[in-house]
Amino acid sequence: MAFPVSKLFYEIGNAYGWERLLLIDILDSSMPVIRWLRLAGLMVPTHVKRIKAGGVSEWGEVIFEIDPHKDPGIFLSRFSNWAARYYLNNPGTVSVVMNPERLIPLQNNNPRFIISLTNLGVAFIGNPKRRTFYFVNTDLADRRYVALLEEAFIRVMRIDNDGRTVIAKSPGEDEGASLEPV
């Protein structure tokens, strides 16, 4: 269901500021979200900074492009080095990672790649000034990847088939609560 994901993305941009947003777009995963928002009359600024990991869309301000079909070690190394420099030079960046699970089949579901991809996300955990939102399609994702992410991340929200957003994991007492649309 596109609506809740699109709406959450839109609310993140509005809440934190589109100028602070860094969209890490795997294989043009953001395009259905952007299209849905446009059709709903909700405009996303075209100047949103975007890391393009594959795909053909030139939407947004593409500030870094990387080919996910190449050697996985080179891909992950180039991405992590670039991201670390970017975060250092742009404090307060809010990242949105769209569908990183799409990378796993490109590497033949290799368990080492799954662990490396997870570790890439975990490497940026621990900085209370940084906010990162992962949008993962758990119906398509390798269960090992989802389990590792859920284990590592502080807060996990799930969008149910009926469109309801539920807090699945949280350090606070809000675990199990449903988020209501604003």
Side-chain angles (χ1 to χ4, degrees), residues 2-178:
F3 170 75
V5 170
S6 301
K7 189 70 171 147
L8 278 173
F9 174 72
Y10 186 76
E11 293 302 327
I12 290 166
N14 280 339
Y16 291 100
W18 293 104
E19 69 285 348
R20 291 178 53 198
L21 199 74
L22 174 61
L23 175 61
I24 302 167
D25 195 4
I26 309 299
L27 301 172
D28 287 341
S29 295
S30 68
M31 293 306 96
V33 170
I34 302 301
R35 276 189 217 103
W36 189 94
L37 290 169
R38 284 184 186 151
L39 289 171
L42 301 170
M43 291 311 199
V44 174
T46 57
H47 67 272
V48 170
K49 290 175 185 67
R50 179 173 169 239
I51 293 175
K52 180 179 171 182
V56 296
S57 172
E58 294 299 327
W59 178 87
E61 182 184 337
V62 177
I63 59 174
F64 184 65
E65 188 169 347
I66 189 164
D67 185 351
H69 299 90
K70 302 254 183 204
D71 178 271
I74 293 170
F75 168 78
L76 293 173
S77 176
R78 283 191 63 216
F79 175 79
S80 63
N81 288 334
W82 187 91
R85 280 193 315 275
Y86 185 84
Y87 292 137
L88 182 65
N89 295 325
N90 296 280
T93 295
V94 175
S95 302
V96 174
V97 182
M98 288 278 191
N99 300 104
E101 76 281 357
R102 288 181 170 193
L103 295 171
I104 295 170
L106 296 178
Q107 301 303 325
N108 297 318
N109 298 321
N110 183 318
R112 284 186 174 170
F113 181 76
I114 292 170
I115 290 170
S116 296
L117 186 62
T118 305
N119 286 342
L120 182 62
V122 173
F124 296 107
I125 291 178
N127 183 342
K129 295 178 184 172
R130 181 164 302 122
R131 302 268 187 263
T132 301
F133 298 88
Y134 271 67
F135 287 83
V136 176
N137 185 337
T138 57
D139 291 335
L140 299 176
D142 185 293
R143 284 302 310 153
R144 297 170 293 184
Y145 179 65
V146 173
L148 288 168
L149 287 179
E150 288 181 352
E151 183 179 295
F153 290 174
I154 295 166
R155 184 166 284 117
V156 175
M157 293 185 273
R158 290 194 183 282
I159 300 173
D160 291 340
N161 288 336
D162 63 1
R164 198 171 53 113
T165 303
V166 177
I167 300 172
K169 177 182 173 185
S170 176
E173 295 184 19
D174 53 355
E175 201 167 291
S178 291

